Amino acid sequence: VPLPCLKGSGAVSAHRIGFAIARRLAQDGAHVVVSSRKQQNVDRAVAVLQGEGLSVTGTVCHVGKAKDRERLVATALEHCGGVDFLVCVAGVNPLVGSTLGASEQVWNKLCSLLFRFGEPEECAGIVSFLCSSDASYITGENIVVAGYSPKL
């Protein structure tokens, strides 16, 4: 049953964490426009989510390109009548750089903080909440979804 507080439309990434968030938002009653820099990611996400009976559409969007951003907004307007929320997903860490290129020292520090790697679905619930009317009075907050650490 869709959450009554999450009726609207939004745009999110079609890949990994964004895909899990798109699924959750659609399950909770939103119409979701998924996007990715690659058409194959958009096509896969739309096919899977529509196959689950969810209300989604998609378009290619590289956020660094103005025409792609304009197409994303136009797609949301065409299919949803507007955008009630926008979820930006960026899996980067400018302090560490590439995960695969991280030094032994960086990995030692990270392993002392993390007990396990998180799953994309573990980010979806907080995003769904923040897009809902239950969070209507929350503004300007940074919420870190990073698991548990005894050093926090």
Side-chain angles (χ1 to χ4, degrees):
V1 175
L3 293 177
C5 60
L6 187 61
K7 291 180 181 170
S9 60
V12 299
S13 167
H15 191 66
R16 298 183 44 96
I17 293 173
F19 177 81
I21 292 168
R23 174 182 274 148
R24 175 63 183 266
L25 291 173
Q27 288 171 340
D28 289 348
H31 178 82
V32 179
V33 177
V34 294
S35 69
S36 175
R37 292 177 294 173
K38 297 179 181 177
Q39 185 68 52
Q40 66 193 30
N41 290 342
V42 173
D43 294 343
R44 180 192 58 82
V46 169
V48 169
L49 296 174
Q50 285 181 348
E52 295 174 5
L54 300 173
S55 180
V56 299
T57 191
T59 187
V60 170
C61 182
H62 185 298
V63 295
K65 297 179 179 178
K67 286 188 179 189
D68 283 7
R69 294 189 308 268
E70 291 169 9
R71 181 175 44 249
L72 178 63
V73 171
T75 300
L77 289 173
E78 176 185 345
H79 292 276
C80 311
V83 177
D84 298 307
F85 50 83
L86 175 65
V87 178
C88 300
V89 180
V92 296
N93 184 340
L95 299 175
V96 176
S98 167
T99 302
L100 295 176
S103 70
E104 183 79 22
Q105 183 180 16
V106 168
W107 278 108
N108 288 340
K109 183 172 179 115
L110 285 174
C111 294
S112 70
L113 294 175
L114 303 175
F115 290 104
R116 65 176 177 81
F117 288 106
E119 296 296 326
E121 293 77 14
E122 293 175 299
C123 298
I126 188 67
V127 173
S128 182
F129 165 71
L130 290 171
C131 293
S132 76
S133 61
D134 286 343
S136 65
Y137 205 66
I138 297 175
T139 58
E141 294 298 324
N142 291 316
I143 299 174
V144 178
V145 182
Y148 169 76
S149 170
K151 298 193 180 225
L152 293 177

